[in-house]
Amino acid sequence: SAYSQLRREYSPTTNATSKLLQHVSNRGVASFPADEAAKLVCATAAIDYHLPEDRIAAFPLADRASSKLLVVEPDTGRLTCGAFRGLPSVIPNGSLCVRNVSRVIAARVIGKKSSGGEVEIFFLNPLKPSEDPAVALSQACTQEVEWECMLRGKKLKEDQTLHATAVVGDVEVALEGRILQRAGKVARMRFKWDPPHLSLADLLEALGETPLPPYMRRRAEPSDRQSYQTVYAETNGSVAAPTAGLHFDEGVLARMEAGGARFRNTLLHVGAGTFVPVEGDVT
């Protein structure tokens, strides 16, 4: 069948990704046949590969700009590998660089049930009093606060109350969340906290953890508050970092600007969906 032929042609053993890169290097992206591109996009097996656990870094480099940089020369397709700090010498003068200034929040809170059982509360999307993350996170506990959350724990049910506490300086910070509705791991929750004048962002800074990608397979550490954040992050709202920006440091940005690069900021909050595996295939 056509499906079987497609799977043979674009199976991992034929290295379809290399075929795509070679074509792009030789003739450019615009010349890649649309029907071939569609096959590669739809057949997830074509982009599947084995990544050994020991090749996934558990911690970032102390020097962001020493990360590796792969450069593809557009005219020849020649590949060169260097350090990210070399980016300013690669991009053309006058380039427009758009950066996402969304800031990662401490979205993962470890709470407890009344029985003492531990529950992970992962803040996903604000519902009340605003669906805008920046607005919702800036609110104090003066009105109803509801969020869509992902829960991980045993024997969770609707109308159940979860609690989390922490001591910041001499002040005890307490969060209470009630499960209003639940569908699988996702729940609609209503929250209140004390001291009520704290914003939700400040509360999460006190109670929460940095939401590291699941493939890092470790708990967050205090240093992750800075390292899992771009140096130009401004507005609270993401539950995952816009990772392409993590390699930039102030030195790289300054040399880009000195070389004539122009910068524009955009705000695109990154959700937990970025961690969801690609599913589906050609049918």
Side-chain angles (χ1 to χ4, degrees):
S1 67
Y3 175 74
S4 299
Q5 181 181 352
L6 179 63
R7 290 300 296 269
R8 285 195 300 272
E9 184 177 356
Y10 293 101
S11 69
T13 56
T14 61
N15 203 350
T17 304
S18 293
K19 179 178 178 180
L20 172 60
L21 289 174
Q22 188 63 46
H23 186 107
V24 170
S25 296
N26 292 342
R27 286 174 280 177
V29 176
S31 69
F32 196 81
D35 57 338
E36 294 293 303
K39 293 175 186 176
L40 285 168
V41 170
C42 295
T44 53
I47 56 173
D48 190 22
Y49 64 96
H50 173 63
L51 180 59
E53 290 282 338
D54 62 2
R55 305 305 294 172
I56 302 175
F59 292 90
L61 294 172
D63 177 11
R64 294 173 185 251
S66 64
S67 302
K68 292 182 179 179
L69 176 69
L70 179 65
V71 179
V72 183
E73 295 183 8
D75 296 330
T76 65
R78 180 170 173 263
L79 305 178
T80 56
C81 188
F84 193 82
R85 62 171 46 86
L87 181 65
S89 64
V90 174
I91 62 173
N93 290 337
S95 294
L96 175 63
C97 302
V98 181
R99 53 192 179 184
N100 185 1
V101 296
S102 181
R103 186 174 183 276
V104 180
I105 62 173
R108 180 178 282 117
V109 174
I110 305 301
K112 290 188 176 182
K113 300 184 292 184
S114 57
S115 63
E118 195 171 273
V119 180
E120 178 185 300
I121 307 169
F122 195 114
F123 285 72
L124 294 176
N125 302 302
L127 302 172
K128 286 184 178 182
S130 172
E131 294 184 358
D132 182 332
V135 174
L137 288 161
S138 67
Q139 297 294 308
C141 188
T142 56
Q143 52 191 311
E144 285 190 353
V145 176
E146 295 182 8
W147 276 66
E148 180 182 57
C149 298
M150 186 167 8
L151 302 178
R152 183 175 297 176
K154 296 180 179 179
K155 298 180 179 180
L156 297 173
K157 54 189 178 182
E158 294 182 0
D159 209 36
Q160 195 168 21
T161 302
L162 310 175
H163 301 269
T165 59
V167 177
V168 181
D170 297 328
V171 179
E172 182 178 75
V173 178
L175 173 70
E176 178 181 295
R178 184 162 66 90
I179 302 173
L180 301 179
Q181 298 172 331
R182 183 165 174 256
K185 293 182 179 180
V186 178
R188 184 185 185 109
M189 297 191 67
R190 180 174 296 157
F191 293 97
K192 60 182 179 180
W193 57 87
D194 191 65
H197 67 270
L198 286 180
S199 69
L200 181 56
D202 289 338
L203 182 88
L204 292 178
E205 283 294 314
L207 292 174
E209 296 181 0
T210 302
L212 296 180
Y215 51 76
M216 295 185 74
R217 301 186 186 282
R218 66 174 177 87
R219 288 287 293 268
E221 299 189 0
S223 61
D224 294 314
R225 295 286 177 104
Q226 180 176 352
S227 61
Y228 194 60
Q229 198 81 263
T230 62
V231 297
Y232 45 78
E234 295 178 356
T235 306
N236 286 323
S238 285
V239 298
T243 50
L246 292 177
H247 309 305
F248 290 89
D249 64 12
E250 297 292 355
V252 169
L253 293 171
R255 285 188 290 115
M256 288 173 63
E257 192 167 17
R262 296 170 295 133
F263 292 96
R264 295 291 185 272
N265 293 340
T266 188
L267 183 61
L268 297 169
H269 295 309
V270 184
T274 190
F275 300 138
V276 178
V278 176
E279 297 180 351
D281 212 330
V282 172
T283 55

